[in-house]
Amino acid sequence: MNNKGVMALGALIGAAIMYGIVSYFIPAGTDQNVELRPDDLQLVALGKKVYDANCASCHGAKLQGEANWRERGPDGMLPAPPHDETGHTWHHPDVVLVALTKYGPAAMAGGDYKSAMQGYEGVLSDEEIIASLSYIKSRWPREVVARHDQINQSAAAQ
């Protein structure tokens, strides 16, 4: 197996494990059948507006995230990660991305986990959340979209 195959397999296994862990924390009643639609141009256009108004100030206008996003700051919180292919957004299945956006990382992780990112429940509708995430996914290179689609398939099989 070549390096790309090993990396893809590792990403799939990691995503499956992460899905199992994180799905344990997804609040009951969360729609498990959500699906991002990066090919729906109307939805993606709405998503860009939602992203620009609610996400870009931290995650960057070009999805680049904040500097040193893997290192906790003096406040103990992680900077906003990139949502482009250099970040870990695409490592999570759609249902996890929607839940993280809706409820916030602190609610998802539980305990005393601290995050600067609020949950957007009551701020954005489910459709606006799906639109913003569909916009993000529409910006990824084809090979990353293909890997993310595989992650969604693996998660659905769980």
Side-chain angles (χ1 to χ4, degrees), residues 2 4 12-13 16 46 48 54 56 67 93 95 98 100 103 107 111-114 118 123 130 142:
N2 64 26
K4 285 186 180 183
L12 284 173
I13 291 169
L46 170 62
K48 179 168 178 18
N54 297 278
V95 66
V98 170
L100 282 167
Y103 303 113
D112 61 353
Y113 185 84
K114 292 182 175 76
Q118 67 177 14
V123 177
I130 290 168
R142 282 191 187 135

PDB file of all heavy atoms in Angstrom, residues 2 4 12-13 16 46 48 54 56 67 93 95 98 100 103 107 111-114 118 123 130 142:
ATOM      1  N   ASN A   2       0.597   2.216  -0.861  1.00  0.00           N
ATOM      2  CA  ASN A   2       1.429   3.415  -0.925  1.00  0.00           C
ATOM      3  C   ASN A   2       1.105   4.364   0.231  1.00  0.00           C
ATOM      4  O   ASN A   2       0.177   4.127   1.000  1.00  0.00           O
ATOM      5  CB  ASN A   2       1.255   4.109  -2.287  1.00  0.00           C
ATOM      6  CG  ASN A   2      -0.156   4.614  -2.515  1.00  0.00           C
ATOM      7  OD1 ASN A   2      -0.889   4.894  -1.574  1.00  0.00           O
ATOM      8  ND2 ASN A   2      -0.537   4.723  -3.776  1.00  0.00           N
ATOM      9  N   LYS A   4      -0.200   7.352   0.285  1.00  0.00           N
ATOM     10  CA  LYS A   4      -1.535   7.949   0.242  1.00  0.00           C
ATOM     11  C   LYS A   4      -2.580   6.954   0.744  1.00  0.00           C
ATOM     12  O   LYS A   4      -3.509   7.326   1.444  1.00  0.00           O
ATOM     13  CB  LYS A   4      -1.877   8.402  -1.170  1.00  0.00           C
ATOM     14  CG  LYS A   4      -1.170   9.668  -1.573  1.00  0.00           C
ATOM     15  CD  LYS A   4      -1.654  10.142  -2.919  1.00  0.00           C
ATOM     16  CE  LYS A   4      -0.918  11.422  -3.306  1.00  0.00           C
ATOM     17  NZ  LYS A   4      -1.401  11.953  -4.570  1.00  0.00           N
ATOM     18  N   LEU A  12      -9.475   7.172   7.906  1.00  0.00           N
ATOM     19  CA  LEU A  12     -10.756   6.481   8.069  1.00  0.00           C
ATOM     20  C   LEU A  12     -10.873   5.822   9.435  1.00  0.00           C
ATOM     21  O   LEU A  12     -11.903   5.927  10.104  1.00  0.00           O
ATOM     22  CB  LEU A  12     -10.936   5.434   6.968  1.00  0.00           C
ATOM     23  CG  LEU A  12     -11.296   5.967   5.603  1.00  0.00           C
ATOM     24  CD1 LEU A  12     -11.282   4.840   4.571  1.00  0.00           C
ATOM     25  CD2 LEU A  12     -12.647   6.637   5.631  1.00  0.00           C
ATOM     26  N   ILE A  13      -9.817   5.158   9.861  1.00  0.00           N
ATOM     27  CA  ILE A  13      -9.837   4.507  11.169  1.00  0.00           C
ATOM     28  C   ILE A  13      -9.949   5.556  12.270  1.00  0.00           C
ATOM     29  O   ILE A  13     -10.753   5.419  13.192  1.00  0.00           O
ATOM     30  CB  ILE A  13      -8.584   3.620  11.359  1.00  0.00           C
ATOM     31  CG1 ILE A  13      -8.662   2.422  10.414  1.00  0.00           C
ATOM     32  CG2 ILE A  13      -8.454   3.161  12.816  1.00  0.00           C
ATOM     33  CD1 ILE A  13      -7.380   1.627  10.321  1.00  0.00           C
ATOM     34  N   ALA A  16     -13.454   6.930  12.358  1.00  0.00           N
ATOM     35  CA  ALA A  16     -14.398   5.977  12.940  1.00  0.00           C
ATOM     36  C   ALA A  16     -14.288   5.975  14.462  1.00  0.00           C
ATOM     37  O   ALA A  16     -15.296   5.967  15.172  1.00  0.00           O
ATOM     38  CB  ALA A  16     -14.158   4.586  12.374  1.00  0.00           C
ATOM     39  N   LEU A  46     -25.778  30.582   0.336  1.00  0.00           N
ATOM     40  CA  LEU A  46     -26.279  30.941   1.670  1.00  0.00           C
ATOM     41  C   LEU A  46     -25.201  30.661   2.709  1.00  0.00           C
ATOM     42  O   LEU A  46     -24.956  31.483   3.603  1.00  0.00           O
ATOM     43  CB  LEU A  46     -27.549  30.148   2.002  1.00  0.00           C
ATOM     44  CG  LEU A  46     -28.033  30.246   3.453  1.00  0.00           C
ATOM     45  CD1 LEU A  46     -28.405  31.683   3.816  1.00  0.00           C
ATOM     46  CD2 LEU A  46     -29.194  29.285   3.690  1.00  0.00           C
ATOM     47  N   LYS A  48     -21.968  30.684   2.438  1.00  0.00           N
ATOM     48  CA  LYS A  48     -20.905  31.698   2.419  1.00  0.00           C
ATOM     49  C   LYS A  48     -21.329  32.923   3.216  1.00  0.00           C
ATOM     50  O   LYS A  48     -20.546  33.468   3.994  1.00  0.00           O
ATOM     51  CB  LYS A  48     -20.526  32.098   1.003  1.00  0.00           C
ATOM     52  CG  LYS A  48     -19.424  33.176   0.995  1.00  0.00           C
ATOM     53  CD  LYS A  48     -18.836  33.399  -0.344  1.00  0.00           C
ATOM     54  CE  LYS A  48     -17.782  34.484  -0.406  1.00  0.00           C
ATOM     55  NZ  LYS A  48     -17.148  34.925   0.812  1.00  0.00           N
ATOM     56  N   ASN A  54     -20.617  34.828  10.657  1.00  0.00           N
ATOM     57  CA  ASN A  54     -20.532  34.168  11.964  1.00  0.00           C
ATOM     58  C   ASN A  54     -19.250  33.413  12.254  1.00  0.00           C
ATOM     59  O   ASN A  54     -18.973  33.121  13.413  1.00  0.00           O
ATOM     60  CB  ASN A  54     -21.702  33.189  12.111  1.00  0.00           C
ATOM     61  CG  ASN A  54     -23.029  33.875  12.097  1.00  0.00           C
ATOM     62  OD1 ASN A  54     -23.473  34.392  13.108  1.00  0.00           O
ATOM     63  ND2 ASN A  54     -23.677  33.900  10.941  1.00  0.00           N
ATOM     64  N   ALA A  56     -16.026  33.623   9.968  1.00  0.00           N
ATOM     65  CA  ALA A  56     -14.782  34.131   9.377  1.00  0.00           C
ATOM     66  C   ALA A  56     -13.951  34.957  10.353  1.00  0.00           C
ATOM     67  O   ALA A  56     -12.721  34.971  10.251  1.00  0.00           O
ATOM     68  CB  ALA A  56     -15.089  34.947   8.119  1.00  0.00           C
ATOM     69  N   ALA A  67      -3.338  31.410  13.920  1.00  0.00           N
ATOM     70  CA  ALA A  67      -1.959  30.918  14.058  1.00  0.00           C
ATOM     71  C   ALA A  67      -1.859  29.994  15.277  1.00  0.00           C
ATOM     72  O   ALA A  67      -2.569  30.182  16.270  1.00  0.00           O
ATOM     73  CB  ALA A  67      -1.009  32.099  14.202  1.00  0.00           C
ATOM     74  N   PRO A  93     -17.243  13.248  10.532  1.00  0.00           N
ATOM     75  CA  PRO A  93     -18.431  13.062   9.705  1.00  0.00           C
ATOM     76  C   PRO A  93     -19.409  14.233   9.868  1.00  0.00           C
ATOM     77  O   PRO A  93     -19.345  14.979  10.847  1.00  0.00           O
ATOM     78  CB  PRO A  93     -19.039  11.756  10.220  1.00  0.00           C
ATOM     79  CG  PRO A  93     -18.355  11.443  11.485  1.00  0.00           C
ATOM     80  CD  PRO A  93     -17.108  12.253  11.577  1.00  0.00           C
ATOM     81  N   VAL A  95     -22.514  14.543  10.768  1.00  0.00           N
ATOM     82  CA  VAL A  95     -23.308  14.647  11.990  1.00  0.00           C
ATOM     83  C   VAL A  95     -22.495  15.257  13.129  1.00  0.00           C
ATOM     84  O   VAL A  95     -23.019  16.035  13.932  1.00  0.00           O
ATOM     85  CB  VAL A  95     -23.917  13.281  12.395  1.00  0.00           C
ATOM     86  CG1 VAL A  95     -22.847  12.290  12.790  1.00  0.00           C
ATOM     87  CG2 VAL A  95     -24.943  13.458  13.502  1.00  0.00           C
ATOM     88  N   VAL A  98     -22.033  19.109  12.400  1.00  0.00           N
ATOM     89  CA  VAL A  98     -23.266  19.843  12.702  1.00  0.00           C
ATOM     90  C   VAL A  98     -23.439  19.970  14.216  1.00  0.00           C
ATOM     91  O   VAL A  98     -23.742  21.051  14.724  1.00  0.00           O
ATOM     92  CB  VAL A  98     -24.484  19.176  12.030  1.00  0.00           C
ATOM     93  CG1 VAL A  98     -25.789  19.785  12.549  1.00  0.00           C
ATOM     94  CG2 VAL A  98     -24.400  19.328  10.516  1.00  0.00           C
ATOM     95  N   LEU A 100     -21.115  19.811  16.602  1.00  0.00           N
ATOM     96  CA  LEU A 100     -20.095  20.720  17.152  1.00  0.00           C
ATOM     97  C   LEU A 100     -20.473  22.174  16.922  1.00  0.00           C
ATOM     98  O   LEU A 100     -20.296  23.025  17.800  1.00  0.00           O
ATOM     99  CB  LEU A 100     -18.729  20.437  16.525  1.00  0.00           C
ATOM    100  CG  LEU A 100     -17.975  19.233  17.046  1.00  0.00           C
ATOM    101  CD1 LEU A 100     -16.813  18.885  16.126  1.00  0.00           C
ATOM    102  CD2 LEU A 100     -17.480  19.491  18.456  1.00  0.00           C
ATOM    103  N   TYR A 103     -23.957  22.874  19.114  1.00  0.00           N
ATOM    104  CA  TYR A 103     -23.869  22.850  20.578  1.00  0.00           C
ATOM    105  C   TYR A 103     -22.557  23.408  21.131  1.00  0.00           C
ATOM    106  O   TYR A 103     -22.472  23.717  22.311  1.00  0.00           O
ATOM    107  CB  TYR A 103     -24.069  21.421  21.083  1.00  0.00           C
ATOM    108  CG  TYR A 103     -25.377  20.834  20.616  1.00  0.00           C
ATOM    109  CD1 TYR A 103     -25.403  19.776  19.711  1.00  0.00           C
ATOM    110  CD2 TYR A 103     -26.592  21.348  21.043  1.00  0.00           C
ATOM    111  CE1 TYR A 103     -26.598  19.238  19.265  1.00  0.00           C
ATOM    112  CE2 TYR A 103     -27.795  20.832  20.593  1.00  0.00           C
ATOM    113  CZ  TYR A 103     -27.791  19.773  19.700  1.00  0.00           C
ATOM    114  OH  TYR A 103     -28.977  19.252  19.254  1.00  0.00           O
ATOM    115  N   ALA A 107     -19.741  21.825  25.095  1.00  0.00           N
ATOM    116  CA  ALA A 107     -20.904  20.973  25.380  1.00  0.00           C
ATOM    117  C   ALA A 107     -20.674  19.559  24.875  1.00  0.00           C
ATOM    118  O   ALA A 107     -21.113  18.595  25.495  1.00  0.00           O
ATOM    119  CB  ALA A 107     -22.157  21.568  24.741  1.00  0.00           C
ATOM    120  N   GLY A 111     -17.453  17.848  30.820  1.00  0.00           N
ATOM    121  CA  GLY A 111     -16.494  18.142  31.883  1.00  0.00           C
ATOM    122  C   GLY A 111     -16.194  19.626  31.950  1.00  0.00           C
ATOM    123  O   GLY A 111     -17.052  20.463  31.751  1.00  0.00           O
ATOM    124  N   ASP A 112     -14.937  19.935  32.208  1.00  0.00           N
ATOM    125  CA  ASP A 112     -14.538  21.336  32.326  1.00  0.00           C
ATOM    126  C   ASP A 112     -13.812  21.830  31.083  1.00  0.00           C
ATOM    127  O   ASP A 112     -13.034  22.782  31.146  1.00  0.00           O
ATOM    128  CB  ASP A 112     -13.679  21.542  33.572  1.00  0.00           C
ATOM    129  CG  ASP A 112     -12.391  20.723  33.546  1.00  0.00           C
ATOM    130  OD1 ASP A 112     -12.216  19.901  32.632  1.00  0.00           O
ATOM    131  OD2 ASP A 112     -11.564  20.931  34.449  1.00  0.00           O
ATOM    132  N   TYR A 113     -14.058  21.185  29.921  1.00  0.00           N
ATOM    133  CA  TYR A 113     -13.430  21.600  28.671  1.00  0.00           C
ATOM    134  C   TYR A 113     -13.821  23.039  28.364  1.00  0.00           C
ATOM    135  O   TYR A 113     -14.981  23.417  28.462  1.00  0.00           O
ATOM    136  CB  TYR A 113     -13.856  20.686  27.524  1.00  0.00           C
ATOM    137  CG  TYR A 113     -13.147  20.991  26.226  1.00  0.00           C
ATOM    138  CD1 TYR A 113     -11.894  20.456  25.971  1.00  0.00           C
ATOM    139  CD2 TYR A 113     -13.716  21.819  25.273  1.00  0.00           C
ATOM    140  CE1 TYR A 113     -11.225  20.726  24.794  1.00  0.00           C
ATOM    141  CE2 TYR A 113     -13.051  22.107  24.088  1.00  0.00           C
ATOM    142  CZ  TYR A 113     -11.815  21.558  23.854  1.00  0.00           C
ATOM    143  OH  TYR A 113     -11.162  21.843  22.686  1.00  0.00           O
ATOM    144  N   LYS A 114     -12.827  23.831  27.996  1.00  0.00           N
ATOM    145  CA  LYS A 114     -13.063  25.242  27.684  1.00  0.00           C
ATOM    146  C   LYS A 114     -12.834  25.479  26.202  1.00  0.00           C
ATOM    147  O   LYS A 114     -11.876  24.982  25.625  1.00  0.00           O
ATOM    148  CB  LYS A 114     -12.129  26.126  28.507  1.00  0.00           C
ATOM    149  CG  LYS A 114     -12.431  26.106  29.985  1.00  0.00           C
ATOM    150  CD  LYS A 114     -11.502  27.050  30.734  1.00  0.00           C
ATOM    151  CE  LYS A 114     -11.862  27.133  32.190  1.00  0.00           C
ATOM    152  NZ  LYS A 114     -11.455  26.007  32.969  1.00  0.00           N
ATOM    153  N   GLN A 118     -18.649  29.305  20.796  1.00  0.00           N
ATOM    154  CA  GLN A 118     -19.982  29.086  21.350  1.00  0.00           C
ATOM    155  C   GLN A 118     -20.730  28.081  20.481  1.00  0.00           C
ATOM    156  O   GLN A 118     -20.362  27.841  19.348  1.00  0.00           O
ATOM    157  CB  GLN A 118     -20.756  30.396  21.350  1.00  0.00           C
ATOM    158  CG  GLN A 118     -21.066  30.892  19.928  1.00  0.00           C
ATOM    159  CD  GLN A 118     -21.894  32.151  19.887  1.00  0.00           C
ATOM    160  OE1 GLN A 118     -22.056  32.825  20.885  1.00  0.00           O
ATOM    161  NE2 GLN A 118     -22.439  32.470  18.734  1.00  0.00           N
ATOM    162  N   VAL A 123     -29.103  30.612  17.498  1.00  0.00           N
ATOM    163  CA  VAL A 123     -28.528  31.722  16.727  1.00  0.00           C
ATOM    164  C   VAL A 123     -28.708  31.440  15.241  1.00  0.00           C
ATOM    165  O   VAL A 123     -29.143  32.304  14.483  1.00  0.00           O
ATOM    166  CB  VAL A 123     -27.030  31.918  17.066  1.00  0.00           C
ATOM    167  CG1 VAL A 123     -26.406  33.014  16.210  1.00  0.00           C
ATOM    168  CG2 VAL A 123     -26.847  32.212  18.548  1.00  0.00           C
ATOM    169  N   ILE A 130     -26.006  23.749   8.271  1.00  0.00           N
ATOM    170  CA  ILE A 130     -25.681  22.851   7.160  1.00  0.00           C
ATOM    171  C   ILE A 130     -25.162  23.649   5.970  1.00  0.00           C
ATOM    172  O   ILE A 130     -24.215  23.233   5.296  1.00  0.00           O
ATOM    173  CB  ILE A 130     -26.900  21.986   6.790  1.00  0.00           C
ATOM    174  CG1 ILE A 130     -27.162  20.979   7.917  1.00  0.00           C
ATOM    175  CG2 ILE A 130     -26.696  21.272   5.452  1.00  0.00           C
ATOM    176  CD1 ILE A 130     -28.480  20.254   7.819  1.00  0.00           C
ATOM    177  N   ARG A 142     -10.704  18.151  -4.349  1.00  0.00           N
ATOM    178  CA  ARG A 142     -11.494  16.944  -4.655  1.00  0.00           C
ATOM    179  C   ARG A 142     -11.077  15.730  -3.833  1.00  0.00           C
ATOM    180  O   ARG A 142     -11.920  14.960  -3.366  1.00  0.00           O
ATOM    181  CB  ARG A 142     -11.378  16.600  -6.139  1.00  0.00           C
ATOM    182  CG  ARG A 142     -12.228  17.446  -6.999  1.00  0.00           C
ATOM    183  CD  ARG A 142     -12.277  16.882  -8.409  1.00  0.00           C
ATOM    184  NE  ARG A 142     -12.984  17.836  -9.240  1.00  0.00           N
ATOM    185  CZ  ARG A 142     -12.590  18.219 -10.422  1.00  0.00           C
ATOM    186  NH1 ARG A 142     -11.490  17.723 -10.954  1.00  0.00           N
ATOM    187  NH2 ARG A 142     -13.302  19.082 -11.111  1.00  0.00           N
TER     188      ARG A 142
END
